[in-house]
Amino acid sequence: MAEKTYRDAIREAMREEMLRDEKVFIMGEEVGVWGGTYAVTRGMYDEFGAKRVRDTPIAEDAIVGAAVGAAMGGLRPIAELMTINFSLIGIDQIINNMAKVHYMFGGQVKAPLVVRAPAGWGQLGATHSQSFEAWFAHVPGLTVIMPGTPYDAKGLLKAAIRSDNPIVFIEHARLYGVKGEVPDGDYTLPIGKAEVKREGRHITIVTYSRMLHVSLAAATTLAQNGIEAEVIDMRTLRPLDMAPVYESVKKTHRALVVEEDWLTAGMGAEIAARIGHDVFDYLDNPVERLAQVETPVPYAKNLEALMFPDEKKVVAKVTSMVGT
Amino acid sequence: MAVRRATTRKGSNGSTQERARLPVSKKEGLEWLKSMMLIRRFEERAEEAYSQGKVGGFLHLYTGEEAIAVGMMAALQPDDDVITHYRDHGYNLARGVEARRIMAEIYGKATGVSGGKGGSMHLADVSKHIWGGYAIVGGHIPLAVGLALAIQYQEQKRIVCCVFGEGATNIGMFHTSMNMAAVWKLPLLSIVENNLYGMGTIVQRASAVENIYEKGCCYGMASTQVDGNDVLAMRDAVRELAERARKGEGPQLLEAMTYRLRGHSMGDPQRYRDRKEVSEWKQRDPITRWQNMLIENKLAAPEDSDRLQAQVEAEVDEAVRFAEESPAPDEQAMYAHVLVEESE
């Protein structure tokens, strides 16, 4: 198996699906001639041409809406939004059309599209450093996927493209360069299935996307101190696959959600509520959550460095939880 | 890009001096008359049902605008895609969706076109290429762009006809959609139904540009205005613009001038307009105009009109009975169609 970057894995998924099915195409800002602002689609314009790697005007409402309409009309669009922040421009189309056309018309219409966009940050300022997975995971009719590894990214994106359901696929700009084992050729992974990425018996860490890597790094450090953390990668945020989480909590009796988003009404709130309700009797502590500082993201490098959960914060939190 | 006004004056009474002979057959002429009558009578019965508490939520009546839907459907091919706003009963009826299934949907019954899951604002019949009524003002316009993209991508000869009101031309989605359609030269015909009022706001108070068709020019689109209460002028205008779109000339915009003889929706006290204006527009009723046109041109006799009215009466009566007797959706229906069940 070859080692590939998260970026390359995503490109491979799209390329293989486009070769497999001529109805699959990409549309978005700078996906074509520029080669993608995060280089995800690099080379694809030369291979597939302007019709199937389609540059759009700056108009996320029209990008998403046209992708939904094209899906209704029989195609399988992949709409790339330059960042998940810009999804707000098109959020009416995501929530009111993408999520609902199959339902409102009694099943007559399908919307088999994927809207993909990266979350991320890096002194980009408050409006370019957000993530809205909790907003989309809130909505019946949507499926929300956030892969943390190159292997998961390729398999899940292929599954998403083949799915007849409308899917929001959130990548992470700071994961694009991360390497991992990715098979050549065709494989898919099941949407709606979490995965235990590291076994352990002292605490269950529930996480996803970039925080998976932060949690795994913390788990390595914690192991040196005799604390074995079980790390579960949710991978899909709607629907949430809680079964492996519950199995884990029955063993560890402690749960911590590590998320790279604001605490209030974030994914952790939902996950914690479910754990607290469904496996209450197995918990020795309340479910804890480590999240982003509850402010807009500042520009200054030193301040931004304090914003997000990191290895040190996870180690400290777990240590305090296991200590009690 | 060529911009021209309609050859018939806004709100004219359709006198015979405007055309030498009527370029329509008796069969067509009577079909259009019946179709408009059907919409009118359907809306009247829907209004009654609402007043009796049998229909809930929002009900937006198409009364007075019938010539647009009928003229448009007469011009389009049966497999051209249609997508519209929430004042949508007329298009569905004009395209031959059964009145009983539309009434049942409005009543929220399981036998409705959308299984009772959509209601008055969300009628659709994909078998007839009607992709929905939509409740968010302008929200369906990007979808129309996408449907047109799918046609172009698959090299089909169909077009998309997207209908919205003049109020929708002030929302961002209209602009981003028209621009995108124009950049890609998509086979999209947009019909702006200008009934002069967006809810209670007259067009001059909402739009910086009063002649809505001029907004198409911003995007380099061929744009025209027509008397929307003249069913023949509608048919001719839509036919011409549809063919241009079909030939690959890019998106087209047609502003159809009309007036709704009822309020924006049920319960609208209409404080924003005076009764005198409504009466004036009643004089330009598209159905009366067409009826007179047919009679003057010896394509119909008053008895034909009476006969059609009786047929329409029976059809709508049956539709109401069907809706009243149909069952409500069972509880399981609430959970259906949230997601597509994957076959794998």
Side-chain angles (χ1 to χ4, degrees), chain A residues 38 85 118-125 128-130 172-174 210-211 214 260 292 297-298 301 304-309:
Chain A
Y38 291 98
N85 300 278
W121 49 273
Q123 293 195 270
L124 305 179
H128 275 51
S129 308
Q130 303 164 112
H172 201 294
R174 299 180 86 86
R210 193 177 77 89
M211 293 291 108
V214 167
E260 189 176 14
Q292 190 171 321
V297 178
K301 192 164 184 165
E304 191 185 46
L306 301 172
M307 279 298 295
F308 304 102

Side-chain angles (χ1 to χ4, degrees), chain A residues 20-25 27 51-52 54-75 92-93 96-99 101-111 140-143 162-167 191 238-239, chain B residues 83 101 105 113-115 117-119 121-127 130-134 136 138-147 149-156 158 172-173 176-177 179-180 183-184 186 333-342 344:
Chain A
R20 179 180 178 271
D21 183 353
E22 62 189 17
K23 293 191 158 54
V24 179
F25 72 101
M27 57 187 285
K51 172 175 154 175
R52 298 186 72 194
R54 182 175 284 257
D55 284 323
T56 66
I58 301 173
E60 282 77 3
D61 51 359
I63 293 169
V64 176
V68 177
M72 287 162 62
L75 301 181
D92 170 72
Q93 293 296 318
N96 284 328
N97 285 336
M98 186 171 165
V101 288
H102 185 60
Y103 188 86
M104 288 197 297
F105 304 120
Q108 294 183 67
V109 168
K110 284 191 206 167
L142 292 181
T143 299
R162 293 186 201 180
S163 169
D164 280 347
N165 281 303
I167 296 181
I191 295 169
R238 185 179 186 106
Chain B
I83 188 166
R101 292 178 61 230
E105 186 62 35
V113 289
S114 299
K117 303 265 276 276
M121 296 191 286
H122 303 297
L123 303 177
D125 186 340
V126 168
S127 72
I130 301 177
W131 294 91
Y134 290 80
I136 302 291
H140 61 294
I141 307 176
L143 300 182
V145 174
L147 286 168
L149 174 58
I151 288 172
Q152 187 188 68
Y153 187 105
Q154 296 172 106
E155 296 177 10
Q156 296 167 352
R158 305 181 301 115
M173 293 184 276
T176 52
S177 298
N179 181 64
M180 188 177 272
V183 168
W184 292 343
L186 296 179
M334 183 155 65
Y335 302 101
H337 311 124
V338 177
L339 292 176
V340 174
E341 298 303 325
E342 308 277 17
E344 299 160 317

